Amino acid sequence: SDWSSDVCSSDLYALRILRALLDGELHAAGEIAQTELLPQAFAYKILKKLEKAGLLEIRRGTAGGCRLTADLDQTSLYDLMLAMGERS
């Protein structure tokens, strides 16, 4: 079967969010949503799943934001799909 049929839209949005965080800097969730053209509430849900999986950290407050913590060279698409809860 075609592997792409197993990848859902939230996985693709998660990939886009991770790409936006590649510079290692803190980025506001709203900034990421705007840059990646994602609804902010949806982007925040994805960010929370990625944080729970240990792929990024979320800092709250006025100096807060999101920052990549995972080594993406050691992270597979399957790892991302697991983080998004698409697979058991």
Side-chain angles (χ1 to χ4, degrees):
S1 82
D2 181 2
W3 72 269
S4 63
S5 65
D6 292 335
V7 179
C8 72
S9 60
S10 61
D11 297 330
L12 298 176
Y13 293 146
L15 278 173
R16 288 166 53 186
I17 288 172
L18 291 176
R19 178 185 63 192
L21 296 173
L22 278 175
D23 63 6
E25 301 296 319
L26 276 173
H27 294 274
E31 169 197 338
I32 295 168
Q34 186 173 8
T35 301
E36 296 300 322
L37 305 175
L38 302 172
Q40 187 164 344
F42 191 53
Y44 193 70
K45 285 181 184 177
I46 293 172
L47 287 164
K48 291 292 293 173
K49 288 183 178 184
L50 296 175
E51 179 187 41
K52 186 176 179 184
L55 297 173
L56 57 84
E57 70 171 322
I58 298 175
R59 290 188 187 174
R60 286 155 185 77
T62 54
C66 307
R67 179 186 327 212
L68 187 66
T69 56
D71 178 357
L72 295 186
D73 289 333
Q74 303 297 318
T75 305
S76 69
L77 180 58
Y78 185 72
D79 294 331
L80 179 66
M81 293 167 76
L82 287 175
M84 294 305 296
E86 305 301 331
R87 305 290 175 269
S88 53

